[in-house]
Amino acid sequence: MARIRVQNLVKAWGDFRAVDDIDFETNDGEFVALLGPSGCGKSTTLRLIAGLDQATSGQIFIDDRDVTQVAAAKRNLALVFQSYALFPHLSVADNITFGLSVRGVPRAERERRLEKTASLLGVTALLGRKPSQLSGGQQQRVALGRALISEAPVCLLDEPLSNLDAKLRAEMRNEIRTLQQRLGITMVFVTHDQTEAMSMADRVILMKSGKVEQCGTPAELYENPASTFVAGFIGTPPMNLVAAAPKDGRLAVAAAASSDLVLGVRPEHIEFAGEGQEAVVAGSEYFGADTVVACRIGEQKLMVRVPGRPGLGTGAQVRLAWAPSNEHAFDARSGLRKSA
Amino acid sequence: MSMTGHRTMLYSALLLLPATVLLWVFTYQPIFTTILNSFYSTPRGRRPSVFVGLENYETMIADPIFWKAMTNNLIYALTTIPFSIALALAMALLVSANLRGKGLMRMAFFTPTVLPMVAVANIWLFFYAPDYGLIDKFLGLFGMGGNNILGSVETALPAVIAITVWKEAGFFMIFYLAGLQQISPTLIEASRLEGAGFWQTLWRVQIPLLMPTTLFISINAVIGAFRLVDHVVAMTKGGPDNATTLLLFYIYQNGFAFWDTAYAAALTVVLLAILAAIALFQFGYADKRVHYR
């Protein structure tokens, strides 16, 4: 069991700060997602925790032990690389036991743990093969095996699913989650895919330009986004963010696209109703279970997600309504949430 | 066969002709002639050459200088090849690391390769010279001067070996450098993270992944060990007392200094047989073992 604590962590290359003064803490056995668009510093943060890069300043603690200056191999953690980094000249068995053999674990012990790990991951039949003879999903399992056999209390995963096809990705998502809960280890994984983060993680750390934008449970990020960035990043399609004007103690969509107030409302929370703001249908996308209808109010565009097929053609007149509790107000200049 | 079929055949034959002619004239025909000549005696004055069967080979087996040359060449190959390969790998690791001035180092390591062997031999003649030579002067500081390095039976061959290693290592380094850059840095990171230090990473990851490069280099090194004699010609002429006579130098001596062309032909056949055996081993056996993909 282990907790990771990151304090005032900075990684700079010249004037560019890839990781800019971030703080967060994970709990024992927690599954944490580092989420963000590419170039936001999430992978760099993971590399700093792993010890593959040296922090410019700040500290990293694992179980209250300051590991900032400790070599990667001595931090008692495992890492699954995005490219898997399997040794092409070694068999699956030798790849998995590489760390044990390097650390001089006796052969009998190695074989016992190999057997256990291989059956856990379902790669027993592949032990004699070389990495080039494996499919992407199998390579992923072997990479996981190499990380898990060390029995380190912390396991870091860098974009673990990005090299897999859609079907396999959904399967592995489940499997990694199950493994993490079964083994009770702390897992931190990097992803740019918000559905991955939302569906797998206990807690999501959303990053932007080297800073932590919001840190919380998936539900917190979805229900109470701290900024327009979070609101626009989480959800498919993301939250509608439009210029707003106060009206009767609530917010209404302003006709003009500029205002110092931003209204946020999720597409799935808007409905076509008998009364509400008037809008014109500008187009729609049909997904089977639901349809996303693009509507226009003056210069502004809103997405509306409705179940089934609403049968609205372009140019149809509709009225949009949503519950007051689904209304989010943000400051237009800072992008931050306005407390009610 | 149709008209167009004949045409295609004709074109292919014509296109292959230049290469075939060159190969025949400069490679195959000389090989056949050499093998043939090795069964005849050397023509001298008014005596034409006659068929003597295996007489030249019998002479060879009884010739102590031939055995001396073989032994020398074996020692020469067994020392220059591993030393130059190890040195090349060490230099490649050094200049592939992110160090200040690595460009300068790369150039310094590669320079010996660019120099002609005869020029190199002349530079080293000064290093090895007794009394005023660089090495002897240095040893003189400790009261161990007065060595004739190239003139003593014990030190002449090692001296020649040292030059070869010095010259070849820089060339091989280039291949290792290219090989090292082919290895994904995440593999090295993965190895370090798993607890392997510098030596373990080198031994368990880098060297195995460099095996195709090592095979290529070792083929070149073996060929070099039997082919490079410029420095022997320029520095020792095989002496003292045949201490630095290598097989190819002995062939040259017999063929063009003693004009015993038949004996030189027989020696050449032996050299060709050795090189062919090594090539067969390397491509047939080693090639299958080093390619891990």
Side-chain angles (χ1 to χ4, degrees):
Chain A
M1 303 309 102
R3 279 174 297 129
I4 304 169
R5 185 151 53 91
V6 165
Q7 248 174 24
N8 305 105
L9 194 64
V10 175
K11 176 68 189 181
W13 279 283
D15 282 340
F16 174 69
R17 290 183 143 206
V19 172
D20 193 358
D21 196 12
I22 64 169
D23 294 89
F24 64 81
E25 193 171 351
T26 74
N27 292 321
D28 268 352
E30 202 174 25
F31 199 15
V32 179
L34 275 170
L35 176 66
S38 47
C40 73
K42 54 191 192 301
S43 280
T44 309
T45 307
L46 196 80
R47 289 177 62 84
L48 291 174
I49 298 173
L52 295 175
D53 287 329
Q54 275 294 309
T56 309
S57 66
Q59 283 161 300
I60 300 160
F61 297 89
I62 294 175
D63 263 345
D64 297 320
R65 180 169 75 114
D66 186 348
V67 295
T68 319
Q69 303 300 328
V70 175
K74 298 212 165 87
R75 293 190 181 192
N76 199 16
L77 46 77
L79 174 66
V80 177
F81 288 84
Q82 182 176 7
S83 60
Y84 311 141
L86 298 177
F87 302 114
H89 59 293
L90 296 179
S91 68
V92 167
D94 289 341
N95 260 291
I96 294 177
T97 54
F98 184 86
L100 301 185
S101 135
V102 161
R103 292 192 157 104
V105 172
R107 177 174 281 274
E109 164 83 0
R110 255 174 12 219
E111 272 167 14
R112 189 184 60 74
R113 277 161 78 172
L114 173 65
E115 202 175 312
K116 197 175 121 196
T117 309
S119 67
L120 186 72
L121 289 158
V123 294
T124 311
L126 309 174
L127 290 178
R129 294 208 200 160
K130 292 278 171 72
S132 59
Q133 297 167 300
L134 302 177
S135 70
Q138 290 168 335
Q139 290 187 11
Q140 164 84 83
R141 280 163 201 275
V142 175
L144 267 170
R146 191 173 66 190
L148 295 178
I149 201 168
S150 65
E151 293 171 4
V154 176
C155 182
L156 311 174
L157 303 102
D158 191 2
E159 303 257 5
L161 307 174
S162 62
N163 291 337
L164 303 178
D165 59 51
K167 189 168 170 282
L168 213 59
R169 201 177 301 173
E171 204 180 294
M172 283 309 285
R173 210 146 76 183
N174 236 315
E175 195 163 324
I176 292 176
R177 178 68 176 146
T178 314
L179 272 174
Q180 183 267 335
Q181 279 169 342
R182 201 162 132 193
L183 302 173
I185 53 180
T186 304
M187 263 194 190
V188 178
F189 81 107
V190 161
T191 180
H192 61 267
D193 181 349
Q194 55 100 12
T195 35
E196 222 170 271
M198 298 291 280
S199 61
M200 291 167 80
D202 294 318
R203 208 135 56 88
V204 177
I205 297 168
L206 180 56
M207 291 183 68
K208 181 199 170 194
S209 316
K211 289 187 187 298
V212 173
E213 195 76 8
Q214 188 171 2
C215 171
T217 63
E220 277 167 8
L221 265 72
Y222 180 79
E223 289 161 11
N224 281 310
S227 66
T228 50
F229 176 77
V230 181
F233 200 85
I234 306 286
T236 36
M239 186 183 276
N240 291 300
L241 295 164
V242 289
K247 188 186 172 192
D248 308 334
R250 285 189 55 190
L251 287 173
V253 180
S258 74
S259 160
D260 54 1
L261 207 60
V262 172
L263 164 70
V265 57
R266 294 208 174 269
E268 52 272 39
H269 294 149
I270 306 179
E271 48 188 17
F272 296 126
E275 51 189 280
Q277 273 198 284
E278 282 183 16
V280 180
V281 173
S284 65
E285 267 185 296
Y286 173 61
F287 291 102
D290 47 22
T291 303
V292 174
V293 182
C295 297
R296 210 185 286 280
I297 296 178
E299 299 170 22
Q300 308 207 74
K301 217 173 174 186
L302 280 96
M303 298 298 202
V304 180
R305 187 162 160 180
V306 289
R309 258 192 301 178
L312 292 167
T314 306
Q317 297 282 332
V318 290
R319 281 174 181 275
L320 307 180
W322 55 87
S325 58
N326 289 327
E327 206 169 86
H328 307 267
F330 301 97
D331 184 83
R333 195 158 303 142
S334 65
L336 294 179
R337 184 183 193 86
K338 287 206 163 198
S339 44
Chain B
M1 205 182 273
S2 67
M3 242 346 244
T4 49
H6 280 294
R7 258 243 168 114
T8 323
M9 283 284 287
L10 186 67
Y11 278 138
S12 338
L14 280 173
L15 286 169
L16 285 172
L17 191 65
T20 315
V21 167
L22 286 175
L23 271 174
W24 176 256
V25 171
F26 293 108
T27 308
Y28 299 121
Q29 201 271 335
I31 291 176
F32 291 128
T33 315
T34 304
I35 295 173
L36 204 65
N37 284 350
S38 73
F39 298 114
Y40 284 82
S41 66
T42 306
R44 287 185 200 283
R46 269 171 291 165
R47 273 183 300 150
S49 69
V50 291
F51 183 79
V52 291
L54 293 173
E55 196 178 283
N56 284 319
Y57 293 94
E58 281 157 16
T59 315
M60 194 190 302
I61 289 166
D63 179 3
I65 302 172
F66 165 73
W67 289 111
K68 180 72 182 162
M70 284 291 274
T71 319
N72 283 345
N73 222 144
L74 197 68
I75 296 168
Y76 183 76
L78 289 179
T79 47
T80 56
I81 295 167
F83 275 120
S84 55
I85 288 180
L87 190 61
L89 181 59
M91 294 194 300
L93 284 168
L94 194 66
V95 298
S96 70
N98 228 342
L99 292 175
R100 203 180 280 265
K102 69 175 172 185
L104 208 67
M105 267 201 284
R106 282 183 195 188
M107 200 181 74
F109 292 159
F110 191 62
T111 307
T113 308
V114 194
L115 299 174
M117 195 54 160
V118 176
V120 166
N122 277 294
I123 296 168
W124 282 81
L125 266 180
F126 284 108
F127 290 172
Y128 286 146
D131 300 328
Y132 65 86
L134 188 73
I135 295 169
D136 206 35
K137 262 237 161 87
F138 178 75
L139 290 174
L141 292 178
F142 305 98
M144 295 184 292
N147 303 290
N148 188 354
I149 297 168
L150 288 172
S152 323
V153 176
E154 302 81 38
T155 50
L157 189 60
V160 171
I161 286 168
I163 298 172
T164 311
V165 171
W166 178 79
K167 181 150 171 58
E168 298 269 274
F171 183 53
F172 299 154
M173 175 195 75
I174 297 295
F175 296 104
Y176 271 133
L177 201 54
L180 281 171
Q181 278 160 357
Q182 295 275 309
I183 300 176
S184 156
T186 54
L187 288 181
I188 310 301
E189 282 179 346
S191 165
R192 292 281 164 85
L193 196 90
E194 292 289 334
F198 172 82
W199 292 108
Q200 288 217 0
T201 302
L202 182 66
W203 186 247
R204 287 170 184 259
V205 181
Q206 285 165 308
I207 288 181
L209 292 178
L210 284 172
M211 276 318 273
T213 310
T214 306
L215 175 70
F216 174 78
I217 291 175
S218 64
I219 291 171
N220 274 289
V222 169
I223 295 169
F226 287 96
R227 203 200 53 188
L228 267 181
V229 287
D230 316 24
H231 52 332
V232 175
V233 176
M235 295 171 83
T236 62
K237 308 248 178 335
D241 190 19
N242 292 312
T244 57
T245 298
L246 300 178
L247 194 52
L248 186 58
F249 180 77
Y250 193 47
I251 292 171
Y252 163 80
Q253 231 180 6
N254 275 292
F256 305 104
F258 310 151
W259 294 104
D260 190 353
T261 50
Y263 190 45
L267 288 167
T268 307
V269 170
V270 170
L271 180 60
L272 283 175
I274 292 172
L275 287 176
I278 292 167
L280 277 177
F281 168 79
Q282 280 173 328
F283 284 113
Y285 171 77
D287 208 31
K288 280 195 197 75
R289 297 203 39 142
V290 300
H291 285 104
Y292 48 85
R293 281 179 208 285

